[in-house]
Amino acid sequence: MPRVIVDSAIYRDGHRTDGPADLSDALAEARATGDAFLWVGLHEPTAAEFGHVASEFALHPLAVEDALKAHQRPKLEVYDDSLFAVLKPVVYEPESDRVTSGELMLFMGDSFVVTVRHGGGAPLAEVRRRLEDDPGVLKHGPTAVLYAVSDTVVDHYLDVATELQVDLEELETDVFAPSGGVPTGNTAERIYTAKRQVLEFRRAAGPLAGPLARLTAGSVPFVNEPARPFFRDVDDHLLRANEQVEGLDRLLTDMLSAHLAQMGVRQNDDMRKISAWAAMAAVPTMVAGVYGMNFDHMPELHWVWSYPAVLCLMAGIVMGLYRTFKRRGWM
């Protein structure tokens, strides 16, 4: 199992200790002392690889199936011998302005924690290092791991929301740029793309409110009762993140409506200009068409100044129309 297990260690009184390489022996050693727990981290295990771990820790088959298939909503499920939690970390890619999500499954039981990571965005190595540097928190056992993981994931939601806010401010500047400004790229397409990123974010952060509410309320097996205030803090951060996401989604909807309205206004302006030019072109065409018929009983055809007079007439009418359209803002 060396390939799939990223890290494995026994933690006693908040300090990491070396334990047996065999998971069964390591779990038995952690349970023997009563003040220790085993934390095993896995990355994208196969069914056979995770089957070995599941049998050692007696994990529920339904939870094992969810951990292997991934593509789960954030949730918290309680089984007889373990607690199963699913979180969806998000990552912002500044090069492509995209939001991608991974999946993080956490099993908690009697003196053990098993974390399973799928995709990117799961900073478990960072969480483990931070906990190992703070024995005062780590000595609270598996509950400390659940708190630290959820706190890190939710705090990263706030960072990603801030990055999205910056992108949307730039997009908003393009949408409401003055008529002389030159928009960058297809604005409507960029708005729809941004809405897709916000939707991906909402799928990760929104459903997590239910599990955190249960942890905040307490009475969840395998979770220490004194940890409720800490999960309440995480829930507060999640509420802020969800409020930011809702605000970003409303802002994008408003920007799309404003952009479509502006396009309609521009099209109306263009139609007015085209109509004005067409009207001015129609006048000399009409006059020239009348005199081009060459009727015999048109005395002005024989006048010496008829040709310049007709030209002046056409120019005068066109100039009159131009001034009228200009005054009304059609030109």
Side-chain angles (χ1 to χ4, degrees), residues 34-199:
D35 62 347
F37 71 95
L38 174 64
W39 182 0
V40 179
L42 302 95
H43 177 245
E44 297 183 352
T46 63
E49 292 168 338
F50 195 57
H52 174 71
V53 176
S55 63
E56 292 292 344
F57 294 95
L59 303 179
H60 196 279
L62 291 178
V64 171
E65 181 181 357
D66 288 345
L68 287 173
K69 288 185 176 180
H71 304 294
Q72 304 294 319
R73 287 167 54 90
K75 60 182 179 179
L76 180 68
E77 296 181 350
V78 179
Y79 298 98
D80 293 336
D81 299 322
S82 63
L83 179 72
F84 179 58
V86 178
L87 299 94
K88 293 182 74 69
V90 295
V91 175
Y92 176 78
E93 300 174 359
E95 297 82 7
S96 56
D97 295 335
R98 292 181 64 247
V99 173
T100 58
S101 62
E103 290 195 45
L104 178 59
M105 287 78 169
L106 189 145
F107 295 86
M108 285 177 52
D110 180 20
S111 302
F112 74 85
V113 175
V114 177
T115 52
V116 182
R117 180 167 62 91
H118 292 272
L124 288 182
E126 175 187 342
V127 173
R128 190 185 287 259
R129 284 194 299 269
R130 193 172 74 242
L131 282 174
E132 290 176 355
D133 292 337
D134 192 354
V137 175
L138 191 56
K139 70 179 182 180
H140 292 286
T143 302
V145 178
L146 177 60
Y147 160 70
V149 170
S150 58
D151 183 57
T152 301
V153 169
V154 171
D155 283 348
H156 198 56
Y157 287 167
L158 295 173
D159 296 336
V160 173
T162 301
E163 296 286 351
L164 286 175
Q165 180 69 43
V166 173
D167 284 349
L168 263 58
E169 288 175 357
E170 296 176 356
L171 183 57
E172 187 178 25
T173 301
D174 281 351
V175 171
F176 295 102
S179 57
V182 180
T184 57
N186 188 324
T187 304
E189 181 179 353
R190 292 175 61 196
I191 294 175
Y192 277 115
T193 300
K195 284 187 72 70
R196 290 292 302 175
Q197 309 314 312
V198 171
L199 177 61

Side-chain angles (χ1 to χ4, degrees), residues 297-321:
H297 301 287
M298 295 179 69
E300 60 269 20
L301 293 178
H302 305 288
W303 295 347
V304 176
W305 298 102
S306 59
Y307 181 69
V310 170
L311 291 179
C312 291
L313 174 65
M314 291 189 292
I317 296 175
V318 170
M319 287 301 299
L321 289 174

Side-chain angles (χ1 to χ4, degrees), residues 161 164-165 168 198 243-252:
L164 286 175
Q165 180 69 43
L168 263 58
V198 171
E243 287 176 349
Q244 284 186 265
V245 173
E246 291 294 335
L248 294 176
D249 188 59
R250 289 194 298 270
L251 177 60
L252 282 168

Side-chain angles (χ1 to χ4, degrees), residues 24 27 29 35 83 89 101 129 136 141 143 146 152 155 194 214-215 239 258 261 283 291-292 315 324:
S24 180
L27 181 59
E29 179 179 327
D35 62 347
L83 179 72
S101 62
R129 284 194 299 269
T143 302
L146 177 60
T152 301
D155 283 348
R214 292 176 60 187
L215 291 170
L239 179 62
V283 171
Y291 284 96
T324 301

Side-chain angles (χ1 to χ4, degrees), residues 211-326:
L212 280 178
R214 292 176 60 187
L215 291 170
T216 300
S219 301
V220 177
F222 308 107
V223 177
N224 298 338
E225 186 70 16
R228 289 176 58 186
F230 296 93
F231 286 111
R232 190 179 302 120
D233 179 69
V234 178
D235 187 51
D236 180 65
H237 291 179
L238 178 64
L239 179 62
R240 287 169 49 198
N242 283 330
E243 287 176 349
Q244 284 186 265
V245 173
E246 291 294 335
L248 294 176
D249 188 59
R250 289 194 298 270
L251 177 60
L252 282 168
T253 301
D254 293 342
M255 280 196 293
L256 181 59
S257 300
H259 175 65
L260 295 177
Q262 284 182 332
M263 289 182 61
V265 171
R266 293 192 187 104
Q267 288 175 350
N268 289 336
D269 289 341
D270 293 340
M271 288 302 300
R272 284 199 297 264
K273 292 177 181 179
I274 292 172
S275 300
W277 285 109
M280 290 187 293
V283 171
T285 301
M286 180 188 66
V287 174
V290 171
Y291 284 96
M293 290 184 287
N294 295 323
F295 290 126
D296 290 335
H297 301 287
M298 295 179 69
E300 60 269 20
L301 293 178
H302 305 288
W303 295 347
V304 176
W305 298 102
S306 59
Y307 181 69
V310 170
L311 291 179
C312 291
L313 174 65
M314 291 189 292
I317 296 175
V318 170
M319 287 301 299
L321 289 174
Y322 178 81
R323 293 183 62 183
T324 301
F325 294 142
K326 189 72 172 179

